[in-house]
Amino acid sequence: MRYYISDLAQYVGQKVELKGWAYQTRSSGKVKFLELRDGTGIVPCIFFRGECADEALTTFEQLTQETSVKVVGTVRKHPKHEGVFEIGAETLEIIGQSPDYPITPKDHGTDFLMENRHLWLRSKRQHAILRVRAEIIGAIRDFFDGRGFTLTDAPIFTPSACEGTSNLFETQFFDEKMYLSQSGQLYMEATAAALGKVYCFGPTFRAEKSKTRRHLIEFWMVEPEVAFNDMYDNMELAEQFVEYIVQRTIKNRATELKALERDISKLEPIKGAFPRLHYREAAEMVKKENPDFIIGDDFGAPDETIISSKFEKPVFVHHYPAAVKAFYMKEDPKEPGYAMGCDLLATEGYGEMIGGGQREDNLEILERKIREHNLRDEDFKWYNDLRRYGSFPHSGFGLGLERTVAWICGLPHIRETIPFPRLYGRSYP
Ligand code: 4AD
Ligand code: MG
């Protein structure tokens, strides 16, 4: 029988055996306290002279931070706090020593913590973030699985670029040159033609030589694609999706968000229809506060903040100039020069969390766009086939998991949103 700290409520008054790590220790007179952590929670184990074995008190003296141990004792309700438990400890055994654990309760610099990321994960703040991340992943899967979408994962090795050639990771595939996937979208367009409503969810790669608080080199993206959805249907799907993720996370992960000191009142209003701005409206908003902005350009991070700061909900910006968007975006026949792309900007300056839109479904236009973007026709033969055989209007989007985690947790930097971040300038551990 294995007992876990998270389940102690079931065992009040009973003797349990817990295995975990020494988070903190302290002594006062006849009593010694061990904060024991087992991954599911942290519980105080109280060693009282006379109530515990004498050896336990001697062993206790050898405990250092992160020593792994076995504790046997009785589960008691905390005398003051409802729903909090403690262990009236009887025995203590050391499983593994932990001399000179590098991360101490004092403040460490970020570089040091990143270098020790494998150990940093053992701290309370990281537990909270990773649990929120896991909740968001669960919400993502449940949302689509519960709406008749089929998970159709895309390959990581890809012969061609999806999001422009400037940030492609080149790799060797035996004798061929290949790339690490920037997005599964093009493959989702194929599976959407097969299964109607599909999504993929996996790691994607961008060789971006920039150090910002929003960019990872390797990040996870969920990409739904729906046959016969136009750009407006796409925005509706995206807003329902984001509402579901946010509301479920604040409900199920209230404890973790509290530990992260997240102001939940900023997340509660993330419901219902989100505001929608045409690129031109958004660009004028930006121009007022950033006179250097050139209308027609893509928005930089500070520009996105200007736009999103006007709203308490995330905001869609649609109809970007086709020139700043990817080759596959459908140009609006009613507004030549503008692409039917729609990005979703998060609240509180967290920037773009969703990029997507309606795809070009006309074969001739698509072939021309591929050439204009200096992409190789032969790489896109299969992709163009989707327009050759029963072409169909379709739309989809990609939501960046880590940006979503940073936003919901209220983190200043994306590096803590993934267990082992890959950043420009950091690939260890
Ligand atoms: O806007 P992006 O580049 O869109 C696509 O890749 C589309 N093909 C998706 C689709 O329509 N199926 O990326 C989508 C999202 C961004 O909005 C952002 O949340 C995230 O992916 N993202 C990154 N997250 C972390 N680090 C990076 N370097 C990111 N680049 C994009
Ligand atoms: Mg984008």
Side-chain angles (χ1 to χ4, degrees):
M1 174 88 183
R2 298 278 299 115
Y3 295 93
Y4 292 97
I5 293 170
S6 56
D7 305 331
L8 290 180
Q10 301 168 226
Y11 303 112
V12 175
Q14 294 179 39
K15 196 183 273 195
V16 295
E17 177 191 285
L18 294 172
K19 288 178 179 163
W21 296 264
Y23 199 67
Q24 267 174 12
T25 55
R26 78 197 147 82
S27 303
S28 82
K30 283 205 275 183
V31 209
K32 295 184 190 297
F33 297 92
L34 159 65
E35 293 272 338
L36 179 72
R37 131 185 126 69
D38 73 349
T40 74
I42 297 181
V43 70
C45 301
I46 299 159
F47 294 83
F48 201 77
R49 188 177 297 282
E51 282 178 13
C52 66
D54 285 346
E55 307 87 84
L57 296 172
T58 332
T59 310
F60 189 97
E61 296 310 318
Q62 298 167 34
L63 295 183
T64 54
Q65 201 183 335
E66 292 301 313
T67 300
S68 54
V69 295
K70 181 171 106 179
V71 176
V72 174
T74 305
V75 184
R76 299 194 295 235
K77 281 189 178 164
H78 190 280
K80 286 192 202 114
H81 302 292
E82 182 63 28
V84 180
F85 304 93
E86 57 184 35
I87 303 293
E90 291 167 27
T91 63
L92 172 67
E93 238 175 75
I94 289 181
I95 298 171
Q97 302 278 4
S98 172
D100 307 319
Y101 186 69
I103 302 178
T104 56
K106 70 163 198 194
D107 271 348
H108 295 284
T110 306
D111 265 352
F112 179 82
L113 291 170
M114 290 297 284
E115 198 67 14
N116 287 286
R117 180 69 178 162
H118 53 299
L119 302 176
W120 189 19
L121 295 174
R122 300 185 188 193
S123 72
K124 277 186 191 166
R125 176 183 160 85
Q126 303 308 315
H127 302 166
I129 297 170
L130 292 186
R131 289 212 177 90
V132 171
R133 177 185 166 101
E135 181 71 35
I136 293 173
I137 293 172
I140 288 171
R141 294 196 181 287
D142 289 346
F143 180 87
F144 291 117
D145 294 346
R147 280 167 181 73
F149 282 71
T150 304
L151 177 70
T152 58
D153 284 317
I156 303 258
F157 281 114
T158 53
S160 53
C162 177
E163 294 301 319
T165 47
S166 64
N167 60 11
L168 270 180
F169 258 112
E170 213 176 282
T171 181
Q172 208 58 32
F173 188 81
F174 305 107
D175 296 335
E176 286 169 68
K177 193 162 83 177
M178 278 193 107
Y179 307 100
L180 299 184
S181 178
Q182 297 168 304
S183 158
Q185 179 198 320
L186 306 187
Y187 294 95
M188 291 309 98
E189 295 184 48
T191 57
L195 295 154
K197 293 189 277 185
V198 297
Y199 73 104
C200 63
F201 188 19
T204 39
F205 305 85
R206 307 274 168 104
E208 273 162 315
K209 289 191 177 168
S210 61
K211 293 187 182 180
T212 82
R213 59 199 183 89
R214 293 178 183 177
H215 287 90
L216 286 167
I217 301 305
E218 177 175 344
F219 65 97
W220 280 60
M221 180 157 49
V222 54
E223 299 182 84
E225 192 72 29
V226 182
F228 305 108
N229 261 12
D230 64 17
M231 185 192 74
Y232 300 94
D233 301 323
N234 197 47
M235 288 194 276
E236 245 170 64
L237 179 68
E239 74 198 357
Q240 289 167 7
F241 177 51
V242 171
E243 168 178 338
Y244 179 79
I245 296 175
V246 170
Q247 298 303 325
R248 173 166 143 172
T249 306
I250 56 183
K251 182 162 159 266
N252 292 357
R253 292 294 159 193
T255 312
E256 285 77 10
L257 293 173
K258 192 161 172 238
L260 295 167
E261 296 174 7
R262 180 64 165 118
D263 179 359
I264 302 292
S265 73
K266 294 271 191 336
L267 296 173
E268 281 162 345
I270 316 294
K271 279 185 187 162
F274 296 165
R276 281 149 214 229
L277 297 177
H278 192 288
Y279 168 86
R280 274 194 307 266
E281 288 173 83
E284 273 155 28
M285 236 178 222
V286 170
K287 186 84 187 165
K288 272 193 203 130
E289 289 174 46
N290 171 13
D292 293 340
F293 178 75
I294 297 166
I295 296 189
D297 278 3
D298 204 355
F299 300 121
D303 304 324
E304 289 176 353
T305 304
I306 294 173
I307 302 165
S308 64
S309 64
K310 309 276 183 295
F311 305 93
E312 67 162 7
K313 293 187 197 186
V315 50
F316 285 109
V317 180
H318 57 84
H319 281 96
Y320 281 79
V324 304
K325 288 291 182 189
F327 75 95
Y328 54 72
M329 291 258 183
K330 186 172 180 65
E331 247 181 79
D332 193 337
K334 291 194 283 263
E335 276 191 81
Y338 288 93
M340 297 173 83
C342 44
D343 287 357
L344 185 69
L345 310 181
T347 54
E348 301 170 78
Y350 276 89
E352 183 201 313
M353 56 187 297
I354 282 182
Q358 191 166 337
R359 323 307 189 185
E360 186 51 73
D361 51 359
N362 177 292
L363 180 61
E364 279 160 40
I365 299 177
L366 185 61
E367 285 177 333
R368 174 165 57 74
K369 286 277 170 78
I370 288 171
R371 258 171 260 130
E372 283 171 9
H373 279 80
N374 295 318
L375 298 165
R376 298 189 316 174
D377 279 335
E378 61 264 37
D379 289 338
F380 292 92
K381 198 179 154 299
W382 71 267
Y383 185 66
N384 291 341
D385 273 353
L386 308 174
R387 280 77 185 164
R388 226 171 252 126
Y389 305 112
S391 191
F392 57 117
H394 58 289
S395 306
F397 61 83
L399 168 126
L401 172 65
E402 289 76 14
R403 287 203 191 163
T404 308
V405 175
W407 174 53
I408 294 181
C409 289
L411 308 179
H413 198 290
I414 201 164
R415 66 185 153 229
E416 288 175 80
T417 59
I418 183 164
F420 296 97
R422 297 291 171 250
L423 297 157
Y424 182 53
R426 168 148 315 273
S427 54
Y428 176 92

